[in-house]
Amino acid sequence: MTGPGSNTLLPRRKRRRRSNWRGPLYIAPAMALVIVFFVMPVLFTGWMSLHNWPLMGASRWIGFNNYFRMVNDTRFMAALNFTAYYTVIVTIAIFAVAFPLAIFVEKERQFVSTYRTIIFLPVVVGLATASLLWVWLANVDSGFIGPALKALGLLEKSPNLLATFDTAFLTVVVMVVWKIAGFTMIILLTGLQAIPSELTEAARIDGAGRWQRFRHLTLPLMRKTIALALIVSVTGSILAFDQFYIMTAGGPQNKMISVVYYIFNQSFVSFNLGYGAALSIALLAILVAISIVQLWLLRVGEARP
């Protein structure tokens, strides 16, 4: 049975169907990019990891042998330990520099925009370019750091900063902090500026000192911002490659080979492509697990509705 209202319902249903298709249509290009450039390569890498995959010739199915080999690979475990050590040290160093800088440039003062620009400038330099720059700065003859230390009377002769593990590791960490701290500062700055000034003023009126306001007000309200900066820093540190490849070539004595550097050696130097794929899948699993743990720690202590 039809009535006068049935004619108006049909256009509404058509408009509703169109609106239901509009959302998926808009995100289709982005989803296509994700599928082509992320999902499919990950699936293909997982398939490669189950094979003995030479550079030339036919591949051979070996199941999970590459993963069993990984457990007994002492060089991979050494690379994993070094990457974990580097990640902890460089993340702490970045936050130790970026947080005070964010607090310094958060308040409106004279030349604050200039300060922010100067601090952020190293971020726009590519990591490979920054590594090459610091190789020159650390050069024992034509560099700047060694001769400057000698000119100041701190050392008798210009040191080769990349010759020993301790000085090479310190040089790499300083370079990364110089390069990345500005980016972390911007992330933390957005969190600081999102804190309502009324809360800070109320805490000051109630007699809370700077440390009390920072500990009981600033840090709790910046949990999500700190978690974001932490995830970015940890992920970037675990995936470190350029600085070790360019500045130290894995040395001295192969003590500075990161996980990604080891995967590169296995895949494109030794041409063990199947084993390199298995290492890549293992690294992806480690990154996913660490991100899940960080997000879970972020939720701990949050008020439940």
Side-chain angles (χ1 to χ4, degrees):
M1 183 176 179
T2 59
S6 60
N7 294 331
T8 60
L9 288 176
L10 290 175
R12 289 180 184 176
R13 290 174 181 172
K14 290 181 179 179
R15 286 197 298 267
R16 194 172 301 167
R17 288 176 188 153
R18 289 176 184 172
S19 62
N20 290 339
W21 279 101
R22 209 169 277 170
L25 188 63
Y26 287 151
I27 67 172
M31 289 300 298
L33 290 175
V34 171
I35 292 173
V36 171
F37 293 105
F38 179 74
V39 176
M40 292 179 63
V42 168
L43 293 176
F44 184 69
T45 302
W47 175 253
M48 285 181 63
S49 70
L50 302 176
H51 292 74
N52 181 3
W53 200 290
L55 181 64
M56 300 181 66
S59 60
R60 180 169 55 87
W61 173 270
I62 58 173
F64 292 96
N65 286 354
N66 281 326
Y67 294 93
F68 298 145
R69 173 185 173 185
M70 187 190 313
V71 177
N72 299 318
D73 190 345
T74 56
R75 290 182 298 173
F76 172 66
M77 293 302 167
L80 201 60
N81 290 334
F82 170 74
T83 304
Y85 174 70
Y86 167 78
T87 299
V88 172
I89 297 298
V90 81
T91 300
I92 293 174
I94 288 174
F95 271 78
V97 174
F99 220 131
L101 289 176
I103 294 175
F104 173 70
V105 301
E106 188 262 335
K107 299 296 182 183
E108 289 296 334
R109 56 168 61 91
Q110 192 176 14
F111 303 122
V112 68
S113 298
T114 304
Y115 297 147
R116 293 173 183 173
T117 303
I118 293 173
I119 295 170
F120 187 77
L121 271 178
V123 178
V124 303
V125 180
L127 187 56
T129 304
S131 300
L132 289 171
L133 172 64
W134 277 76
V135 167
W136 170 76
L137 291 173
N139 188 278
V140 65
D141 297 318
S142 61
F144 173 78
I145 299 175
L149 294 175
K150 181 182 177 181
L152 293 172
L154 299 177
L155 296 172
E156 295 182 0
K157 60 179 182 179
S158 298
N160 188 352
L161 297 176
L162 301 178
T164 64
F165 173 81
D166 292 336
T167 55
F169 183 79
L170 179 61
T171 303
V172 171
V173 169
V174 172
M175 186 278 294
V176 172
V177 172
W178 170 81
K179 169 78 174 66
I180 303 297
F183 178 73
T184 306
M185 179 203 72
I186 293 298
I187 296 177
L188 297 174
L189 180 62
T190 59
L192 288 172
Q193 292 179 335
I195 299 176
S197 58
E198 295 81 3
L199 294 178
T200 306
E201 188 63 27
R204 185 184 292 109
I205 294 173
D206 289 341
R210 287 186 177 181
W211 170 247
Q212 290 176 319
R213 294 198 303 270
F214 178 77
R215 180 182 177 184
H216 299 289
L217 181 65
T218 303
L219 285 181
L221 292 177
M222 288 187 62
R223 287 173 61 92
K224 293 184 177 180
T225 306
I226 292 173
L228 173 61
L230 189 63
I231 290 174
V232 171
S233 179
V234 169
T235 302
S237 301
I238 293 176
L239 296 176
F241 170 73
D242 299 58
Q243 56 267 47
F244 299 117
Y245 181 75
I246 295 174
M247 295 182 67
T248 67
Q253 299 176 348
N254 292 330
K255 291 182 178 179
M256 296 180 67
I257 295 180
S258 65
V259 172
V260 176
Y261 197 166
Y262 186 69
I263 294 173
F264 170 81
N265 283 338
Q266 289 295 320
S267 301
F268 304 111
V269 177
S270 301
F271 298 117
N272 297 322
L273 299 180
Y275 186 49
L279 294 172
S280 301
I281 294 297
L283 180 59
L284 176 63
I286 292 172
L287 287 172
V288 170
I290 291 176
S291 299
I292 291 174
V293 170
Q294 288 177 320
L295 292 173
W296 176 78
L297 291 175
L298 173 65
R299 297 179 60 87
V300 172
E302 283 189 346
R304 296 293 187 269

